[in-house]
């Protein structure tokens, strides 16, 4: 085995052991450009609270609303500032195989540790096409498969993953379908993370998931670490469930963006097509923070109910 193969093997084992990965939010300036200062503070809050991996420009980070240059810039920026403290996973997935290959090459060139790859959505393909698409990016470096049929309109079945698992560069699967699927993979020795915060406690402690790729950890990284590391804790899980439900009121990351803005951690700027949650849901968030304890949430400002005109909605960016 060559030195580079040895290095890759060690890296893949390191990534496979990560229990808590945050799909990090991307904050914006009033002109709609990326607010790197707020982003860096948010990532630092994650690291200080024991998050082990940062997924850059995923669904939660609105990678679909970025051009490729901005996406690769943000991945490289994250590696440069934080790559010695956390593993950096870059979202290089898209429905065009050629673009996915180029993005994966560029992401590894700027130092990301692994690539996250969704299956081709909208312009869907056959099962054989899925295998070929994934093999083309697996040949480049460590890859995590992302299965979220609610967004792609196509499930990636275990039969496809089992073929792809023959590649030494398959790190594992980020799975949204549910804990029975999680169990199916974990019982076959395939590393799997749940992408559903509300299922993550049971996924981790009952169904064999290594951990979670979390949305909620943007807001409550310390509590999510406790949920993934502290042993079975149905009491804590029940306490967190109202927040998980609130985060799922609208397609992610609408609620998360609203909540982070209410905590004063990011500016209240939205890139269309996302708009903030309505005011009654913003009031609900303030109550949630008060019940759960402000100290458990990121940032140090008082939580507030923002008015409609506090938000900046940007259509061109």
């Amino acid at each position: 085995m060559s030195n580079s193969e040895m290095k890759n093997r060690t890296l893949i084992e390191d990534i496979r052991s990560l229990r808590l990965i945050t799909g990090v939010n991307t904050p914006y300036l009033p002109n709609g450009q990326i607010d790197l200062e707020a982003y860096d503070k948010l990532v630092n809050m994650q690291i200080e609270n024991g998050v082990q991996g940062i997924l850059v420009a995923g669904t939660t980070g609105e990678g679909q609303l970025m051009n490729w240059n901005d996406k690769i810039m943000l991945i490289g920026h994250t590696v440069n500032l934080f790559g010695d403290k956390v593993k950096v996973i870059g979202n290089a997935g898209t429905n065009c195989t050629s673009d996915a290959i180029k993005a994966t090459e560029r992401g590894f060139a700027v130092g990301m540790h692994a690539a996250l790859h969704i299956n081709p959505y909208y312009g869907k393909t056959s099962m054989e096409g899925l295998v070929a698409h994934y093999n083309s990016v697996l040949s480049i470096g460590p890859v995590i498969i992302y299965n979220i049929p609610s967004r792609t309109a196509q499930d990636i079945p275990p039969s496809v993953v089992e073929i792809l698992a023959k590649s030494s560069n398959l790190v594992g699967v980020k799975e949204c379908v549910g804990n029975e699927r999680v169990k199916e993979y974990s019982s076959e020795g395939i590393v799997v993370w749940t992408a559903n915060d509300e299922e993550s406690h049971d996924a981790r402690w009952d169904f064999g998931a290594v951990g979670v790729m979390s949305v909620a950890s943007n807001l409550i990284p310390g509590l999510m670490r406790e949920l993934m590391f502290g042993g079975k804790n149905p009491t804590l899980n029940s306490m967190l469930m109202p927040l998980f439900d609130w985060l799922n009121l609208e397609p992610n990351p609408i609620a998360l963006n609203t909540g982070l803005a209410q905590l004063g951690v990011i500016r209240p700027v939205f890139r269309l097509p996302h708009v903030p949650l309505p005011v009654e849901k913003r009031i609900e968030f303030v109550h949630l923070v008060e019940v759960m304890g402000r100290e458990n949430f990121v940032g140090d400002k008082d939580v507030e109910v923002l008015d409609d005109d506090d938000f900046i909605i940007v259509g061109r960016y």
Side-chain angles (χ1 to χ4, degrees), residues 219-237:
L219 295 166
I220 50 163
L223 291 177
M224 289 307 296
R225 184 177 167 93
E226 179 64 22
L227 199 68
M228 289 299 103
F229 282 83
K232 222 171 195 180
N233 193 338
T235 308
L236 175 61
N237 193 42

Side-chain angles (χ1 to χ4, degrees), residues 42-89:
L42 190 58
V43 174
N44 268 319
M45 291 172 203
Q46 300 298 307
I47 293 167
E48 284 162 14
N49 283 285
V51 169
Q52 302 165 296
I54 296 291
L55 168 61
V56 182
T59 311
T60 310
E62 299 179 10
Q64 73 279 8
L65 305 185
M66 290 179 202
N67 63 45
W68 284 113
N69 287 340
D70 281 354
K71 206 181 278 195
I72 301 300
M73 175 281 295
L74 195 57
I75 292 168
H77 173 86
T78 309
V79 170
N80 289 337
L81 264 64
F82 309 108
D84 58 337
K85 301 183 190 79
V86 282
K87 291 289 178 276
V88 178
I89 300 159

Side-chain angles (χ1 to χ4, degrees), residues 21-152:
I21 298 165
T22 299
V24 73
N25 169 271
T26 304
Y28 303 119
L29 296 164
N31 65 1
Q33 297 308 298
I34 296 170
D35 183 348
L36 286 176
E37 189 184 350
Y39 176 84
D40 293 350
K41 285 181 181 167
L42 190 58
V43 174
N44 268 319
M45 291 172 203
Q46 300 298 307
I47 293 167
E48 284 162 14
N49 283 285
V51 169
Q52 302 165 296
I54 296 291
L55 168 61
V56 182
T59 311
T60 310
E62 299 179 10
Q64 73 279 8
L65 305 185
M66 290 179 202
N67 63 45
W68 284 113
N69 287 340
D70 281 354
K71 206 181 278 195
I72 301 300
M73 175 281 295
L74 195 57
I75 292 168
H77 173 86
T78 309
V79 170
N80 289 337
L81 264 64
F82 309 108
D84 58 337
K85 301 183 190 79
V86 282
K87 291 289 178 276
V88 178
I89 300 159
N91 173 23
T94 185
N95 56 358
C96 167
T97 304
S98 175
D99 283 349
I101 291 168
K102 289 175 204 162
T104 305
E105 289 170 343
R106 292 177 70 191
F108 284 123
V110 298
M112 72 183 180
H113 300 115
L116 183 77
H117 275 281
I118 202 160
N119 49 315
Y121 48 88
Y122 184 71
K124 297 189 293 187
T125 185
S126 62
M127 292 300 111
E128 293 80 7
L130 269 188
V131 171
H133 171 86
Y134 274 112
N135 276 331
S136 70
V137 292
L138 281 161
S139 66
I140 304 168
V143 165
I144 297 167
I145 290 172
Y146 182 21
N147 187 33
I148 179 164
S150 64
R151 288 180 185 263
T152 64

Side-chain angles (χ1 to χ4, degrees), residues 270-272 313-317:
F270 277 68
R271 281 182 174 183
L272 284 174
I313 314 291
V314 186
R316 292 187 67 154
Y317 38 82

